Amino acid sequence: MEKTFNAAEAEPRIYKMWEDAGAFAAGANAKPGADTFCIQLPPPNVTGFLHVGHAFNHTLMDMLTRWKRMQGYDVLWQPGLDHAGIATQLMVEKQMAADGENRKRSEMPRDEFISKVWEWKADKGGVIEQQARRLGDSMDWERSAFTMSGAASAPATEKPGNFHDAVLKVFVQMYNDGLIYRGKRLVNWDPHFETAISDLEVENNEVDGHMWHFKYPLADGETYEYVEKDEDGNVTLREMRDYISIATTRPETMLGDGAVAVHPDDTRYAPIVGKLCEIPVGPREHRRLIPIITDRYPDPDFGSGAVKITGAHDFNDYEVAKRGNIPMYNLMDTKAHMRDDGEPYATAAATAQRIARGEEGFDEGKVAAMNLVPDEYRGLDRLEARARIVADITAEGNAVMIANPALETAEAPDGDQPELPKTIPFVEAKKIMQPFGDRSKVVIEPMLTDQWFVDSSKIVQPALDAVREGRVKIMPESGEKVFYHWLENIEPWCISRQLWWGHQIPVWYGPTKDALEDFDNYHGDAKYFCGASDEDVKAQAEAYYGPNASIELKADAAQFEYMTFHEGDDGSENRSTVTLMRDPDVLDTWFSSGLWPFGTLGWPNENDPAMKYFPGDVLVTGQDILFPWVARMMMMSQAVLQNDPFHTVYLHQLVRDAKGEKMSKTRGNVIDPLDMIDAYGADALRFSNAQMAALGGVLKISEDRIKGYRNFGTKLWNAFSFADHYQIPYLGDAARPEATQTLNKWIIGETGKVREAVDAGMESYRFNDAADALYAFTWGKVCDWYLEFSKPILQGDDAAAKAETEQTLRWVLDQCLIMLHPIMPFITEELWGLAGDRAKMLIHADWPEYGTELVDVDADREMNWVIGLIESIRSARAQVHVPAGAKVPLLVMGLETKGQSAWDNNAALIQRLARIESLEHVDSFPKGCVTIPTDGGTFGIPLEGLINVGSEIARLEKTMQKLGKELGGLRARLNNPKFVASAPDEVVAEAKENLRLREGEEAEMKAAIARLQELG
């Protein structure tokens, strides 16, 4: 054997061996007639790179996969990549710029740009799959799926697949079933990419902002008595007003106000509810009036209590506008510039005025066409428009004014120094939460746009029932509350994106039959044709337009077309050509990834052999995508296949640094998993991940901990070096011996115990329990105790005992490798291979089925008594700083027969390992004696003459002072109701556990000090 395990050399060699042997293939090592076990990898973006979050949940998935494969299940760990619409377009556009190509995407044909995306994907995409191999992932790479596989635009060199077919089939099916529709709703709009984005692609950041307070004058110069009262009903302010005051952080949206809302119980504004007020922006002769309405959304105690309602540019306002049938006027174009289209402002304002007065009705189409941006602001960037609007309102005198606070400290003006103004506009500088695009980094604009939606309310119930009825279990249980909250309050799901890279929506538009009579003057709705293929769409159109119509599909058309002509010289037959245009939008990637559990298995070909793996088993993923992905997979699987996609969802938190802080480049606390693999090997990183995987716990990773588990691997390697040193024969698979030696009976029983503990941990998804059990067994029971205890036998003259111990040691070490393999696959496979003549690779070794039936009760009691005594003596010595090399006398009182027998059988070992020079039976212990209770007796170490009592008391008291401060801080946190109420459950639990441990330390120190004080 080499002295150490060379991970850098061995890991790629071992991984290649596995891959070349097809060790990861679906069904590899399956027993005849075995049940299936399937894990679907949450597909990373094709643009992605391995980070600590991936490394963490990949470790858990690989542990389950390897464990089940060794148990003989028919296992599939399904890999794949998401096409990542926005992220991939961004990468390709950056690549084009780096290559010196001066064209933007919008300046080139769509098919040409898509071709460049495929080229980029072939050259630079999917790096994360190679990085995952370095972690040891045992996925069936030959089956790696891609959410755009099978698309017509895919080059011949692209790996075949039919995921695109699955996406189109599901869209068409759900459209035909009335589950998908096109409509106008408020969405998150990214002005940089000019597309709708999902909530998950929005980052809400706290920034410095302002709150402006403006006056909205009442119509026709009306006035009212404004009265404010305190909590006891006493009047604190009474004045006549001809306006209502509102506050806004986004003055540019005032142009699209549809109403001002006040709470129905707010008596201050009761006299003017139902009246009209004026938006103080734009030409005086065309000022718009809007109604003052009541709604429970405004908070009477916040600001003025009056809220402007801009339904097309604020999510809360949108709901108020829907409830109150308030028109929603869109102010901005796709780049978040103020609109510069349509009829002049004066015309649009006049129409809006009639709508506000109830003189004219309105519909969605009419309102959408109206541009209420005054001519002087049209075309401006929203922030430039904001500055202009604020200045114009202030100049006109419609800003709410307050006393100038600078006057309180200002000195009297002298000379030419101007006097300070007595009042200034009321503008509050305050922190506000602002939404940003996670990739564009620009401010997201709520935008009222036409999009495609899934009517989620019609497909949500089976997913809710699955969890309520226990068919799908969410772990930890706290995830169920989040699941119910989202799904019980579900909104329509926006599934369209204004991108080019993705699954283009399979809908074509043409004129309705009504339009054919006067097409040139037709401005009505289009006729939709939804089909998974061109042939299907053409067939629908031909059936609709009749036999005299010729149908053409023009994917790049900006509008549908219609043309009539006569066939034949006599003009006897009228024919027509209808050119259909395709919807240019693509589907949200969450829609396609929602089909992942079956789209990766060959569906819609339900006869594909891989469909036997549906439904899958457990899904391991981050809690942040419980709604956008997990819940949607459940809804889509039920809607399409009437089945749950998995039976268990294991949710984990964000991986943080050692202090529990979120990792960021700004903080400089990012841990790169590949750097950790380079430094310490994949096994060390994996064991660290497994050990911190407490269900629902805070995930704190640190380099020191990873380094520590590298040392654990070294400890395992040294155990085999120990066997090599004693020239223990190690060829082939070791059989379990029929042990006669107490030591061997004990370690065989301990092996049975740990096998049960590991399986219990894995079955309950308490991966840390499995890791902790293996660590304690391998390092403690095997490497520390068994190897040390076996030395006298291996060095002795009893040939039978020696042969039995050699065989036991070989078997126990093999069991360590087998049970550690799911967590530490590389070093275990390497050590397994050193035996030479193995039946098969460790990755396919049979998982043990033995358990506590291997425990010999007498051997277990004796050896654990011995180990417990040695550990207690060592702990007692360390507590009061007895010199490590000093041999000390040991006293014992009331030792029972079994304890005496255990001592007699193992006295030499105990005395050597605990540094004991003698044992004396006594009737009572002297003063200052450290006592060590054991089963069946009490031992003691007399301290007089061993240590400097005064110095030791001083050291312990100093440590007690430091511990006291720590205890005070922990108790203060836990006694703070705000901390207990607001902190996450796992943080509170961690604080309680820390307090318990520190209080235990405090009690031990107090007892130690009391013993020492007995000696004076």
Side-chain angles (χ1 to χ4, degrees):
M1 284 182 66
E2 298 293 333
K3 288 187 177 180
T4 57
F5 175 60
N6 185 346
E9 181 279 327
E11 288 176 358
R13 168 171 49 80
I14 292 169
Y15 200 91
K16 185 176 185 301
M17 177 186 74
W18 288 330
E19 272 205 283
D20 290 348
F24 310 151
N29 200 49
K31 295 176 181 177
D35 291 337
T36 61
F37 179 83
C38 178
I39 289 185
Q40 294 278 350
L41 176 76
N45 288 349
V46 68
T47 59
F49 295 89
L50 193 75
H51 57 61
V52 287
H54 294 130
F56 175 76
N57 68 17
H58 283 216
T59 297
L60 306 190
M61 285 182 272
D62 198 40
M63 285 173 63
L64 290 168
T65 299
R66 289 176 182 269
W67 176 57
K68 287 294 185 180
R69 191 185 288 121
M70 294 170 82
Q71 287 182 322
Y73 281 77
D74 182 350
V75 173
L76 168 62
W77 185 11
Q78 175 65 52
L81 297 165
D82 189 279
H83 62 276
I86 290 179
T88 307
Q89 277 197 187
L90 178 60
M91 295 300 293
V92 174
E93 289 171 336
K94 284 183 177 179
Q95 185 66 51
M96 288 169 60
D99 292 343
E101 193 161 346
N102 295 322
R103 291 185 300 167
K104 296 181 179 178
R105 171 177 62 90
S106 57
E107 298 169 347
M108 61 195 304
R110 180 173 184 149
D111 57 353
E112 183 181 344
F113 179 77
I114 296 301
S115 178
K116 285 186 175 292
V117 176
W118 283 110
E119 289 173 12
W120 180 91
K121 191 253 181 186
D123 184 39
K124 294 186 171 67
V127 172
I128 193 171
E129 290 199 328
Q130 296 304 318
Q131 294 173 332
R133 286 169 163 85
R134 294 198 57 198
L135 188 65
D137 287 357
S138 61
M139 289 184 247
D140 186 353
W141 296 112
E142 291 298 315
R143 290 192 51 82
S144 183
F146 183 50
T147 50
M148 280 290 287
S149 65
S153 60
T157 54
E158 180 67 19
K159 183 179 177 180
N162 62 347
F163 205 99
H164 182 67
D165 295 343
V167 174
L168 296 191
K169 180 178 175 65
V170 169
F171 184 97
V172 173
Q173 177 181 323
M174 294 181 73
Y175 175 86
N176 291 335
D177 290 344
L179 303 176
I180 288 178
Y181 66 93
R182 185 166 175 80
K184 190 182 293 290
R185 286 181 62 88
L186 206 62
V187 298
N188 296 307
W189 186 265
D190 189 313
H192 176 77
F193 292 116
E194 297 182 72
T195 181
I197 61 174
S198 72
D199 289 340
L200 203 67
E201 294 163 312
V202 176
E203 295 175 344
N204 289 294
N205 300 326
E206 188 177 68
V207 299
D208 292 325
H210 294 87
M211 177 83 80
W212 287 270
H213 293 255
F214 297 131
K215 299 176 181 178
Y216 278 37
L218 297 182
D220 304 322
E222 284 202 51
T223 61
Y224 69 107
E225 186 178 43
Y226 177 83
V227 180
E228 286 187 0
K229 298 179 181 179
D230 62 19
E231 293 179 356
D232 298 323
N234 300 312
V235 174
T236 58
L237 175 66
R238 185 190 300 272
E239 63 181 15
M240 296 303 294
R241 286 187 177 180
D242 61 356
Y243 66 89
I244 185 169
S245 172
I246 64 94
T248 179
T249 60
R250 302 166 68 213
E252 69 278 12
T253 64
M254 294 168 62
L255 306 173
D257 288 353
V260 169
V262 297
H263 195 278
D265 298 334
D266 194 338
T267 57
R268 293 172 297 175
Y269 302 114
I272 56 172
V273 169
K275 297 184 180 297
L276 299 176
C277 62
E278 177 186 284
I279 301 174
V281 186
R284 285 290 316 164
E285 65 274 20
H286 299 299
R287 289 285 165 86
R288 268 201 316 121
L289 298 178
I290 54 176
I292 299 170
I293 66 169
T294 59
D295 191 274
R296 294 199 170 272
Y297 165 62
D299 180 356
D301 298 323
F302 181 78
S304 69
V307 178
K308 58 189 279 308
I309 302 302
T310 318
H313 289 278
D314 182 275
F315 285 100
N316 291 316
D317 293 2
Y318 176 75
E319 296 299 328
V320 176
K322 283 200 303 181
R323 288 193 292 269
N325 194 32
I326 302 299
M328 294 182 265
Y329 302 110
N330 204 337
L331 301 172
M332 300 179 196
D333 62 18
T334 58
K335 294 182 179 179
H337 290 178
M338 308 310 287
R339 283 176 58 182
D340 192 17
D341 65 326
E343 56 194 5
Y345 170 72
T347 306
T351 304
Q353 196 83 305
R354 292 192 296 274
I355 292 173
R357 290 186 180 277
E359 299 166 357
E360 183 175 322
F362 68 93
D363 58 37
E364 190 177 90
K366 176 192 289 188
V367 168
M370 294 169 61
N371 183 355
L372 291 176
V373 178
D375 298 333
E376 61 267 32
Y377 306 130
R378 292 191 175 192
L380 297 180
D381 176 81
R382 54 186 162 168
L383 297 183
E384 185 180 353
R386 174 184 299 177
R388 291 267 298 272
I389 289 168
V390 170
D392 290 348
I393 293 176
T394 304
E396 192 173 316
N398 280 320
V400 174
M401 306 298 284
I402 59 172
N404 188 349
L407 289 173
E408 296 179 7
T409 58
E411 296 180 0
D414 57 352
D416 295 330
Q417 182 181 350
E419 290 189 14
L420 291 173
K422 293 183 179 179
T423 59
I424 60 172
F426 185 16
V427 183
E428 297 177 81
K430 60 184 300 180
K431 297 288 186 181
I432 61 172
M433 295 303 296
Q434 197 153 60
F436 292 83
D438 65 346
R439 290 188 174 85
S440 67
K441 305 305 179 186
V442 302
V443 176
I444 296 305
E445 186 68 39
M447 192 85 78
L448 193 62
T449 62
D450 289 306
Q451 303 286 347
W452 287 94
F453 296 91
V454 171
D455 191 346
S456 306
S457 63
K458 293 182 178 179
I459 61 172
V460 70
Q461 195 58 47
L464 283 165
D465 292 343
V467 176
R468 287 202 178 101
E469 296 169 8
R471 300 197 312 270
V472 175
K473 183 174 180 60
I474 297 176
M475 305 177 73
E477 287 187 6
S478 57
E480 291 186 6
K481 296 178 183 177
V482 178
F483 182 84
Y484 292 141
H485 172 75
W486 277 105
L487 270 64
E488 289 170 351
N489 299 279
I490 201 162
E491 294 285 337
W493 169 18
C494 176
I495 58 171
S496 49
R497 297 291 182 265
Q498 290 63 53
L499 305 171
W500 282 359
W501 173 239
H503 301 279
Q504 192 170 355
I505 289 174
V507 172
W508 295 77
Y509 302 130
T512 62
K513 287 182 180 178
D514 295 340
L516 303 186
E517 299 176 3
D518 186 13
F519 183 74
D520 291 339
N521 296 311
Y522 180 72
H523 301 289
D525 294 332
K527 170 64 179 175
Y528 296 180
F529 301 96
C530 180
S533 66
D534 290 358
E535 292 74 20
D536 186 13
V537 171
K538 276 192 172 183
Q540 292 179 46
E542 288 168 355
Y544 180 75
Y545 293 113
N548 291 336
S550 175
I551 308 300
E552 293 183 359
L553 305 182
K554 193 173 181 181
D556 58 350
Q559 185 55 268
F560 50 76
E561 300 171 1
Y562 173 70
M563 182 173 62
T564 61
F565 59 93
H566 297 291
E567 186 171 290
D569 295 337
D570 59 355
S572 57
E573 185 177 3
N574 288 325
R575 295 190 62 81
S576 61
T577 297
V578 181
T579 301
L580 306 183
M581 64 168 286
R582 187 168 184 177
D583 193 305
D585 291 353
V586 299
L587 286 164
D588 171 22
T589 55
W590 293 111
F591 183 89
S592 49
S593 63
L595 314 182
W596 193 249
F598 51 91
T600 56
L601 303 178
W603 192 90
N605 177 12
E606 297 194 18
N607 294 319
D608 191 302
M611 281 299 290
K612 69 178 177 178
Y613 294 106
F614 181 85
D617 289 87
V618 59
L619 179 75
V620 180
T621 191
Q623 62 181 11
D624 57 320
I625 55 174
L626 173 60
F627 175 69
W629 189 50
V630 179
R632 285 169 178 167
M633 282 192 291
M634 294 174 66
M635 289 189 285
M636 299 291 270
S637 292
Q638 279 287 352
V640 177
L641 295 177
Q642 294 77 52
N643 208 339
D644 301 317
F646 31 68
H647 59 66
T648 301
V649 178
Y650 177 98
L651 300 174
H652 63 81
Q653 296 190 37
L654 185 73
V655 179
R656 299 176 179 271
D657 71 7
K659 297 179 180 178
E661 299 288 337
K662 185 177 180 180
M663 292 187 196
S664 73
K665 292 181 180 179
T666 305
R667 287 194 179 103
N669 62 345
V670 173
I671 292 180
D672 186 326
L674 298 178
D675 289 345
M676 296 300 99
I677 292 172
D678 287 340
Y680 308 111
D683 292 322
L685 174 61
R686 290 169 61 107
F687 206 99
S688 184
N689 287 334
Q691 196 280 330
M692 70 178 179
L695 187 62
V698 179
L699 305 181
K700 298 179 184 178
I701 193 167
S702 74
E703 185 170 353
D704 286 343
R705 180 171 292 182
I706 297 167
K707 184 178 181 179
Y709 289 120
R710 191 269 309 274
N711 297 340
F712 174 60
T714 301
K715 190 80 170 178
L716 178 66
W717 187 269
N718 290 341
F720 282 81
S721 295
F722 175 93
D724 188 52
H725 171 75
Y726 280 96
Q727 299 180 345
I728 295 174
Y730 205 84
L731 297 173
D733 300 325
R736 185 173 76 243
E738 293 294 330
T740 60
Q741 298 289 310
T742 298
L743 175 64
N744 295 330
K745 290 179 181 178
W746 165 74
I747 197 63
I748 288 171
E750 291 293 334
T751 308
K753 290 181 191 177
V754 77
R755 200 286 304 166
E756 287 192 356
V758 170
D759 276 15
M762 298 288 278
E763 286 164 1
S764 62
Y765 306 104
R766 297 184 179 276
F767 302 98
N768 62 308
D769 287 352
D772 288 343
L774 283 167
Y775 186 92
F777 171 73
T778 305
W779 189 303
K781 297 295 172 67
V782 176
C783 296
D784 277 355
W785 296 114
Y786 181 68
L787 296 188
E788 193 65 40
F789 287 172
S790 68
K791 285 179 181 178
I793 301 175
L794 296 173
Q795 295 167 356
D797 298 328
D798 187 334
K802 182 178 180 180
E804 178 190 301
T805 303
E806 289 178 344
Q807 187 181 358
T808 303
L809 178 57
R810 283 186 53 210
W811 179 79
V812 168
L813 290 178
D814 269 9
Q815 303 316 298
C816 287
L817 296 182
I818 291 170
M819 288 186 280
L820 280 168
H821 180 77
I823 310 179
M824 306 178 78
F826 289 109
I827 193 172
T828 54
E829 188 73 78
E830 181 80 342
L831 287 168
W832 184 264
L834 292 177
D837 188 21
R838 293 287 193 183
K840 47 188 175 180
M841 294 181 293
L842 178 58
I843 192 174
H844 289 166
D846 293 336
W847 189 262
E849 297 181 355
Y850 53 72
T852 50
E853 74 277 2
L854 299 185
V855 174
D856 182 289
V857 176
D858 292 333
D860 183 71
R861 181 187 301 112
E862 178 175 317
M863 294 311 302
N864 284 316
W865 186 92
V866 170
I867 291 170
L869 177 59
I870 294 171
E871 288 178 333
S872 296
I873 293 172
R874 287 173 171 175
S875 175
R877 291 173 61 120
Q879 190 181 70
V880 290
H881 275 206
V882 173
K887 288 193 173 183
V888 301
L890 188 65
L891 308 178
V892 65
M893 188 170 62
L895 187 61
E896 295 180 355
T897 303
K898 288 183 179 179
Q900 186 66 56
S901 175
W903 174 274
D904 293 340
N905 293 340
N906 301 277
L909 280 172
I910 296 170
Q911 288 182 272
R912 178 166 62 87
L913 297 177
R915 306 294 291 169
I916 300 299
E917 65 177 2
S918 62
L919 177 69
E920 180 184 355
H921 289 263
V922 296
D923 294 328
S924 62
F925 292 132
K927 290 182 179 181
C929 188
V930 178
T931 56
I932 304 165
T934 62
D935 184 18
T938 304
F939 290 85
I941 302 174
L943 297 178
E944 190 169 10
L946 281 177
I947 59 174
N948 185 315
V949 175
S951 298
E952 187 58 25
I953 289 175
R955 184 189 68 81
L956 288 171
E957 287 179 340
K958 186 176 181 180
T959 305
M960 279 277 290
Q961 289 176 357
K962 183 179 179 182
L963 184 61
K965 291 180 180 178
E966 195 174 338
L967 281 166
L970 284 168
R971 287 168 180 148
R973 289 180 77 194
L974 290 169
N975 289 332
N976 183 348
K978 289 184 179 179
F979 169 74
V980 176
S982 61
D985 293 343
E986 60 272 11
V987 174
V988 176
E990 184 179 20
K992 288 180 178 178
E993 177 63 11
N994 283 340
L995 178 61
R996 185 188 68 80
L997 293 172
R998 298 298 176 270
E999 286 177 338
E1001 291 177 21
E1002 183 184 46
E1004 289 179 1
M1005 285 189 192
K1006 285 180 177 178
I1009 291 172
R1011 282 194 299 270
L1012 293 172
Q1013 287 172 338
E1014 290 178 354
L1015 296 174

